Amino acid sequence: ELGLNLGAVDYITKPFSPPIVKIRVRNHLQLAHQYKLLDQLAYLDGLTEISNRRRFEEMFQKEWSRSTRNSTPLSLAMVDVDFFKQYNDNYGHAMGDFALQKIAKSLENVLRRPGDLIARYGGEEFVMLLPETDEEPAMIVAERALQKVVELAIPHHYSSIAQHLSISIGVVTTRRDDSITPQTIMQTAD
């Protein structure tokens, strides 16, 4: 009892039974696995199954610090689905959800490096975090993203700019500069 009050999760008294030890170890491994899964789910967007805003904000702070410390470039791209309200209003929310899922997967497939991150920022907004990426390669990623969404060819007859769903992307690249804050980068990209 004293051990449990001090924070122990479990204990085994002597003499111990090997089958009981085996079962308890299995149960604790299973609990650890479930906690790990819950932790991972806390960072996923439920609809699109890509990273969520919480994950992005954590990674952005980490990459911002690393970029400042190492004087390496950091690029950020804010992605917005064009005329998405009209899409939802005319095709319905189920179709809107399906479109967001397809767009999220397309954007995820554009990113090729393990350190790059795509996250759903909110509603029909996505954000791409591109550590150690200068302006030119960031623009190439943005162009590829635009093209991938066009290739989806999701009809949108209520858009005033295209006959299919399209996206707009704002890209910002920064190097170490004390006058720029993470908030400034987000606002500029947006």
Side-chain angles (χ1 to χ4, degrees), residues 111-162:
L111 302 181
R112 300 210 171 119
R113 300 177 311 164
D116 295 343
L117 178 77
I118 178 71
R120 185 168 178 209
Y121 195 70
E124 73 277 5
E125 286 184 307
F126 299 91
V127 62
M128 288 191 265
L129 182 62
L130 307 167
E132 298 182 14
T133 306
D134 258 319
E135 185 176 341
E136 189 177 327
M139 293 302 287
I140 291 169
V141 169
E143 289 291 333
R144 254 194 339 248
L146 289 168
Q147 186 58 40
K148 286 289 184 187
V149 172
V150 167
E151 288 171 8
L152 291 174
I154 300 171
H156 187 357
H157 301 292
Y158 303 93
S159 170
S160 61
I161 58 171

Side-chain angles (χ1 to χ4, degrees), residues 8-76:
V9 177
D10 199 359
Y11 66 92
I12 300 173
T13 58
K14 290 182 181 180
F16 59 87
S17 161
I20 299 280
V21 171
K22 190 175 181 180
I23 290 168
R24 286 187 167 179
V25 167
R26 185 200 65 209
N27 288 346
H28 285 290
L29 289 173
Q30 191 174 20
L31 275 173
H33 177 69
Q34 289 172 342
Y35 281 127
K36 186 177 180 182
L37 283 176
L38 279 174
D39 192 45
Q40 289 172 342
L41 286 174
Y43 290 109
L44 282 182
D45 177 63
L47 176 67
T48 61
E49 297 181 355
I50 63 172
S51 294
N52 61 16
R53 186 173 180 160
R54 178 186 303 155
R55 175 76 172 151
F56 162 73
E57 287 173 350
E58 275 188 20
M59 292 305 295
F60 185 42
Q61 281 303 322
K62 183 193 277 186
E63 292 300 340
W64 177 265
S65 296
R66 189 162 66 106
S67 172
T68 303
R69 188 174 55 250
N70 299 337
S71 294
T72 55
L74 177 66
S75 291
L76 181 89

Side-chain angles (χ1 to χ4, degrees), residues 69-124:
R69 188 174 55 250
N70 299 337
S71 294
T72 55
L74 177 66
S75 291
L76 181 89
M78 291 294 293
V79 180
D80 194 31
V81 181
D82 301 323
F83 299 98
F84 192 70
K85 182 186 180 329
Q86 290 83 344
Y87 187 87
N88 257 348
D89 290 348
N90 289 284
Y91 294 100
H93 290 281
M95 288 297 291
D97 288 351
F98 180 72
L100 288 175
Q101 291 167 341
K102 299 288 273 181
I103 290 169
K105 290 299 171 204
S106 288
L107 296 174
E108 186 175 45
N109 290 334
V110 165
L111 302 181
R112 300 210 171 119
R113 300 177 311 164
D116 295 343
L117 178 77
I118 178 71
R120 185 168 178 209
Y121 195 70
E124 73 277 5

